[in-house]
Amino acid sequence: MSVTAPQGFEAAGVAAGLKSTGKPDVALVVNRGPRKVGAAVFTSNRAKANPIIWSQEVVKDGVVEAVVLNSGGANCFTGPFGFQTSHLTAERAAELLGVSAGDVVVCSTGLIGTGDEVFRGRVLAGVEAGVAQLSSDGGQAAAEAIMTTDTVAKTVVVSRDGWTIGGMAKGAGMLAPGLATMLVVLTTDADLEASEAHAVLRRATGATFDRLDSDGCMSTNDQVTLLANGASGIRPDLDAFAAALTEISDELARKLQDDAEGASHAISIEVVHAADERDAVEVGRSVARNNLFKAAIFGNDPNWGRVLAAIGTTRAAFDPYDVDVWMNGVRVCTAGRPDRPREEVDLTPRATHVLIDLKVGEAAATIRTNDLTHDYVHENSAYAS
Amino acid sequence: MSVTAPQGFEAAGVAAGLKSTGKPDVALVVNRGPRKVGAAVFTSNRAKANPIIWSQEVVKDGVVEAVVLNSGGANCFTGPFGFQTSHLTAERAAELLGVSAGDVVVCSTGLIGTGDEVFRGRVLAGVEAGVAQLSSDGGQAAAEAIMTTDTVAKTVVVSRDGWTIGGMAKGAGMLAPGLATMLVVLTTDADLEASEAHAVLRRATGATFDRLDSDGCMSTNDQVTLLANGASGIRPDLDAFAAALTEISDELARKLQDDAEGASHAISIEVVHAADERDAVEVGRSVARNNLFKAAIFGNDPNWGRVLAAIGTTRAAFDPYDVDVWMNGVRVCTAGRPDRPREEVDLTPRATHVLIDLKVGEAAATIRTNDLTHDYVHENSAYAS
């Protein structure tokens, strides 16, 4: 059901010829009201794709009627022609739906530099076909149409106190061959003001998608959109709603991590007793982005020296010679020296847990990442494309 | 000749049993005077190995009599015992040479966490054997004894205006399996004050070794040491000397890049027309550290979108939509859109040149890096150790 699980949403996924495989590649998610509240967060990369530049303007007034998404082309660095394509995409959808183009968000994923006339024609045809196929159980089809190298469609639903949140996602960092991007659409029939939608979305993404760092590479096209229509008639308790939205976002982030291209380990790096949350995130991210650490995990090697060498590059508050490092439950380093023998650590399970105790304060954070594998290199080199 | 090319230096390299292969693993470089000027630059990693902590104190007074180096163990995160080992190493060398332990620099490279009693015993025995074998043509033997996964010993010599500089180096970023570190010793018979030696060393390393970023991973043990004895009797023109020291450092950096473990491309990322040098370095480094870009080069794929996605994450001054990207002489992107067809780019040569024109100012910088290959993953996962 995914994005069509809440009341008052329709979706579709169609094959428009953007993918050479002939698989579905254009998706629509439409909010049938009564309210048309929308909020979104975007990549912080200064190199932004055309659909990002378009969509940032659309969400400013807090009103979103529909989301059009395509796989098979990022429409990034395609010049003014590419921006016009994003604009025309919104216009075509708006025209067919009887709404304003200024309330239609556009998302794209695929190879940077792809966005010529052929691309444009197929996207517009896909919008027409998609609108014709909109249905209140189209959530699964939409989730499938946004897949690139994803091996499974990623959807999630949660219901609480009379309201429901649904979601779909694709990608994982930029872990795909020449393709890109995490695209997420979240829908709810809870009754939210635009400012509330924006606030809860920031809160949820900050603790989940923002802490998924599969390969350290930031996409030009990342976008997470929340649509809220109030169809349930219920004004939710905001803390409860934010908690549910965070939970659902966390589940989608975990699905993205689990399906990361080429990965053989899903690594959770938990940093505890940090001075503040920012320090905890910085320390976790430094390990998540260390190629030597990631290659060691691929080889089932509990190489804690690489963990310490990575965190030593941060400016977080801690004493490098008074840090404990645990791997899958075994303390391998304490107080600046080796602790339990490395042989005690079993790194064969896919789920890998690294615990870093900074012994400074009370803050904590977990960063999700993947290992660096032969398959990652293969998928991301031209041999695969 | 390497470090013994200038007058008044002796060196040795001996096998002390630290390497399981039985190859040489302890090196000494001794300054026979008349002057005993020394300067060094160290890793900026907060997680510093014991020999770094020791050597930082040694060089403070600008006097260095000798350098003791070992491969086969990093002596990092080995607790107070490990620090005592560095101290004892300097003491043993000082005693045998008839100098002060406070004037003996120690460098180590190898696995983090390695530095037990067996290690200590072998290093000390190696120092004794090394002192016994010191000779004025021991430079090559010393260069061989500091090798880890290096396939060739890296040495260089330049002579100008009556003075000579010699050098040896090992490593490349942290591109070695479980091993680490760039270690460099530079010697000269030019007559320099300590403050001059420090200044020219900073200047040379800042433009060369600091811009070698093979895999983005900073070692706990990096050290570049310059010894100057004035044996030539010549006070060099400082600008000419700095230029020669930079030239020799650049040559060593290139040798490190060319010998990087597992690499199939030696990539020079040249950033031009930056607002200032710091921007140029930041932009170049962001590309050098982007795994997607590095994997694409491995696959001979001129994926300029990944270059733009990488530089978009920086804070440097430029317009992402008005940047030119050239690969091996072909302009593949201009003004935010594709330019020449990717088929025109030949990425089969090992030497790869990426030119990024920011079109903002007059500053420039080149970062040296390597591609991300199957061999890199293999060498740095446990399968190789």
Side-chain angles (χ1 to χ4, degrees), chain A residues 32-384:
Chain A
R32 294 303 192 182
R35 301 191 64 181
K36 307 294 179 68
V37 169
V41 294
F42 302 93
T43 181
S44 56
N45 200 316
R46 290 167 60 196
K48 294 183 204 307
N50 288 304
I52 295 284
I53 298 168
W54 170 261
S55 299
Q56 283 181 322
E57 293 304 311
V58 169
V59 302
K60 276 187 179 162
D61 66 357
V63 178
V64 177
E65 295 270 2
V67 184
V68 180
L69 312 95
N70 76 273
S71 49
N75 191 12
C76 179
F77 290 114
T78 46
F81 183 87
F83 183 76
Q84 286 161 13
T85 298
S86 292
H87 188 176
L88 284 172
T89 302
E91 277 190 337
R92 186 67 53 90
E95 191 184 320
L96 295 167
L97 295 168
V99 303
S100 160
D103 295 332
V104 178
V105 161
V106 179
C107 303
S108 300
T109 177
L111 188 66
I112 290 176
T114 299
D116 60 6
E117 290 190 43
V118 174
F119 171 86
R120 179 190 284 184
R122 288 177 178 168
V123 169
L124 296 179
V127 169
E128 289 174 18
V131 170
Q133 291 183 31
L134 281 171
S135 87
S136 58
D137 57 4
Q140 184 66 25
E144 285 167 10
I146 60 173
M147 291 165 65
T148 53
T149 55
D150 306 68
T151 63
V152 291
K154 297 163 187 79
T155 65
V156 68
V157 175
V158 64
S159 290
R160 297 268 163 79
D161 306 325
W163 44 261
T164 297
I165 310 175
M168 66 177 188
K170 64 86 32 185
M174 281 187 72
L175 255 185
L179 304 169
T181 308
M182 175 181 71
L183 295 183
V184 180
V185 179
L186 303 165
T187 54
T188 183
D189 50 19
D191 186 6
L192 298 174
E193 300 300 327
S195 60
E196 294 169 340
H198 186 75
V200 294
L201 183 62
R202 281 262 161 213
R203 191 165 145 192
T205 55
T208 57
F209 297 117
D210 284 354
R211 294 184 185 174
L212 175 65
D213 196 330
S214 187
D215 66 352
C217 297
M218 188 191 294
S219 165
T220 51
N221 290 56
D222 287 335
Q223 185 171 341
V224 181
T225 307
L226 170 65
L227 308 178
N229 62 13
S232 69
I234 294 173
R235 291 267 309 150
D237 173 84
L238 268 190
D239 278 337
F241 187 86
L245 195 69
T246 302
E247 185 185 303
I248 214 170
S249 297
D250 196 47
E251 196 174 330
L252 283 174
R254 214 174 326 121
K255 285 174 191 264
L256 292 170
Q257 181 192 26
D258 284 342
D259 198 26
E261 275 290 326
S264 70
H265 289 80
I267 310 169
S268 294
I269 301 167
E270 184 181 357
V271 181
V272 299
H273 295 133
D276 55 35
E277 200 172 337
R278 201 171 56 178
D279 272 11
V281 169
E282 185 188 359
V283 166
R285 211 179 279 282
S286 74
V287 178
R289 293 187 171 180
N290 186 281
N291 279 350
L292 291 169
F293 163 77
K294 291 159 83 85
I297 296 298
F298 168 57
N300 297 332
D301 172 14
N303 196 317
W304 56 267
R306 294 176 179 177
V307 173
L308 289 170
I311 71 177
T313 65
T314 71
R315 283 168 296 190
F318 63 86
D319 175 357
Y321 307 97
D322 190 21
V323 168
D324 286 356
V325 178
W326 303 66
M327 287 190 174
N328 282 353
V330 179
R331 194 174 69 178
V332 283
C333 167
T334 188
R337 72 183 88 172
D339 190 14
R340 303 300 309 167
R342 47 202 293 130
E343 292 71 26
E344 291 183 11
V345 183
D346 180 11
L347 286 172
T348 54
R350 184 179 178 92
T352 307
H353 182 234
V354 176
L355 178 67
I356 300 166
D357 187 343
L358 297 182
K359 304 186 184 179
V360 173
E362 292 306 317
T366 297
I367 300 290
R368 293 182 191 281
T369 190
N370 294 101
D371 52 351
L372 179 59
T373 69
H374 288 301
D375 284 351
Y376 176 90
V377 174
H378 180 74
E379 291 291 339
N380 289 295
S381 60
Y383 299 130

Side-chain angles (χ1 to χ4, degrees), chain B residues 290-304:
Chain B
N290 187 279
N291 278 350
L292 291 169
F293 163 76
K294 292 159 83 83
I297 296 298
F298 167 57
N300 296 333
D301 172 13
N303 196 318
W304 55 267

